[in-house]
Amino acid sequence: MQTKIINRKDAAAELPALAGPQKAAIIIQMVLSEGGSLPLSSLSQRSQTRLMQDFVELGRVDRATLGIVVADLERDLASMGLSFPRSVSDALATLEAHLNPDLVSELRGELGLTSTPSPWGKIITLPNDTLLRLIPDEDPTIAAIILSKLDAEKASEVLDAMPPELAAQVSLAMQNTATIRPDMLARIGTMLLDGLPVEPPKAFTEAPALRLANLLNATSPDRRDAVLAALSDSDAAFAEEVRGSIFTFADITTRITATDISKVTRDVAQEDLVQALCYAAGPEPEAAEFILSNLSQRMADALREEITELGSVDKKPGEAAMGKLTSAIRRLVDAGEITLIKPVAEGEEEG
């Protein structure tokens, strides 16, 4: 195709030869060449195709023509009073924030438009204890609606956590949900969300006890015991909460499954693993042997040989190496690659 060069001596006189879409193409190219962005995908396919044709056919446009096109656009904008949407869907998008929500929902349904984000998308992700607080005792039908929006597993957990009498009422009220209209469902969801307490933003996502436990996990046993003793004297409940979140080297024998030991050792440098096992043979021999006995025979023999060659490890580097191993366990737990066995509380029997 031959390149068409618009090079006018009297551009003002010849400008009308450019159709409106061609002028628009010139403005669009000017915006794009300056790094701007335009929502061209919102145009009809016909308009987008015409735009591509104009881009190819226009070729090069001289400065004089460009200046006149821009000036022409400025005049059009200056003379324009108001611009209204040209379709019902565009008008609805402009006005929906100011209209009655029920009317908006009805109009969107009639037009076949995608609904605005449903409140239920957020409700179904709420923790079970929050969902239980949302359920009004005096209206089991609302509870039945909530359960109907949850997946079966989560719904059963919420139902199990209800008092038996309420659970029975909610189950009976499930039949009342058959005639619930979509607009009514949306209103109920909005009402439930509005009833949620507004929680201020938090600087930390983890609870204080867990943060302190993670810190103490990496400290020496002597310092950890001293901190816990001081906590017990000032706040016994908080100290107990921290103890429940601490994972020590000794916990490996009771809280790590034998099949997960290989995952743990792979996540620790060989030198640190040898030092940790060598030192632990003194204060924590059961944990050290538990690790070695749950590795492959070849790997366990290789580690035992290195431990024998190393001979002994001083307390400080030994505790540091043990801390690296327990930190590796915590990383794997946080990543969901292994799961800790729940500790058995005093007075309970292992199931």
Side-chain angles (χ1 to χ4, degrees):
M1 181 183 294
Q2 186 177 0
T3 302
K4 179 180 178 182
I5 302 177
I6 302 176
N7 193 353
R8 304 177 178 81
K9 294 181 180 179
D10 187 4
E14 298 184 22
L15 186 59
L18 290 173
Q22 291 176 309
K23 295 180 186 179
I26 292 172
I27 296 297
I28 289 171
Q29 173 66 340
M30 183 181 68
V31 172
L32 296 179
S33 64
E34 294 294 325
S37 178
L38 296 170
L40 300 179
S41 61
S42 63
L43 298 173
S44 67
Q45 290 191 8
R46 182 178 179 182
S47 296
Q48 293 181 55
T49 302
R50 173 64 190 269
L51 177 62
M52 289 185 62
Q53 293 173 343
D54 288 334
F55 261 53
V56 173
E57 293 175 0
L58 280 169
R60 290 180 294 171
V61 177
D62 60 31
R63 288 182 177 274
T65 303
L66 179 60
I68 294 172
V69 172
V70 172
D72 193 31
L73 175 63
E74 289 177 345
R75 282 196 303 273
D76 288 344
L77 292 175
S79 62
M80 185 181 296
L82 287 173
S83 177
F84 285 88
R86 295 188 176 184
S87 69
V88 177
S89 59
D90 289 342
L92 184 58
T94 303
L95 294 172
E96 65 178 326
H98 310 282
L99 298 177
N100 182 287
D102 293 338
L103 174 62
V104 171
S105 178
E106 183 178 340
L107 290 173
R108 282 186 168 275
E110 292 177 358
L111 295 170
L113 300 175
T114 302
S115 301
T116 52
S118 168
W120 290 100
K122 181 176 181 180
I123 292 173
I124 62 176
T125 63
L126 295 173
N128 290 357
D129 57 342
T130 303
L131 288 171
L132 286 166
R133 291 199 299 271
L134 284 178
I135 295 174
D137 294 339
E138 69 280 2
D139 195 344
T141 300
I142 298 295
I145 291 172
I146 294 175
L147 294 183
S148 299
K149 295 295 291 184
L150 303 177
D151 62 68
E153 182 178 357
K154 188 167 186 176
S156 64
E157 292 173 355
V158 174
L159 187 66
D160 286 343
M162 293 180 188
E165 183 179 352
L166 177 59
Q169 293 174 353
V170 171
S171 300
L172 184 62
M174 190 66 71
Q175 61 185 329
N176 299 335
T177 64
T179 57
I180 298 293
R181 301 190 313 273
D183 59 321
M184 178 67 72
L185 187 67
R187 282 203 298 272
I188 292 172
T190 301
M191 175 195 70
L192 292 172
L193 279 187
D194 290 343
L196 284 177
V198 178
E199 297 185 3
K202 297 179 180 179
F204 303 102
T205 56
E206 294 180 334
L210 181 57
R211 279 184 277 123
L212 179 56
N214 289 337
L215 188 154
L216 294 178
N217 279 333
T219 61
S220 67
D222 291 343
R223 175 55 57 88
R224 180 169 57 243
D225 292 342
V227 169
L228 289 173
L231 278 180
S232 297
D233 291 340
S234 57
D235 191 333
F238 182 58
E240 191 59 31
E241 190 177 355
V242 173
R243 281 194 182 91
S245 299
I246 286 177
F247 183 89
T248 65
F249 198 88
D251 292 323
I252 290 175
T253 57
T254 57
R255 302 196 62 192
I256 300 292
T257 60
T259 54
D260 282 338
I261 289 297
S262 59
K263 295 180 183 178
V264 173
T265 55
R266 282 198 301 267
D267 206 51
V268 181
Q270 183 81 356
E271 180 183 357
D272 293 329
L273 180 59
V274 171
Q275 283 195 330
L277 293 174
C278 183
Y279 178 75
E284 303 293 349
E286 290 184 4
E289 185 57 34
F290 181 79
I291 292 173
L292 289 167
S293 62
N294 285 292
L295 295 173
S296 67
Q297 187 65 48
R298 184 170 60 85
M299 185 175 182
D301 290 343
L303 285 172
R304 291 183 195 278
E305 185 176 339
E306 290 189 56
I307 291 169
T308 300
E309 291 177 359
L310 187 59
S312 63
V313 178
D314 291 338
K315 181 178 180 179
K316 188 171 182 179
E319 290 180 344
M322 289 168 61
K324 290 179 181 179
L325 197 147
T326 54
S327 295
I329 291 172
R330 178 57 62 186
R331 285 195 303 272
L332 292 170
V333 171
D334 293 341
E337 295 186 33
I338 66 174
T339 302
L340 294 180
I341 299 171
K342 185 178 179 180
V344 179
E346 289 186 19
E348 291 185 357
E349 295 183 0
E350 293 190 47

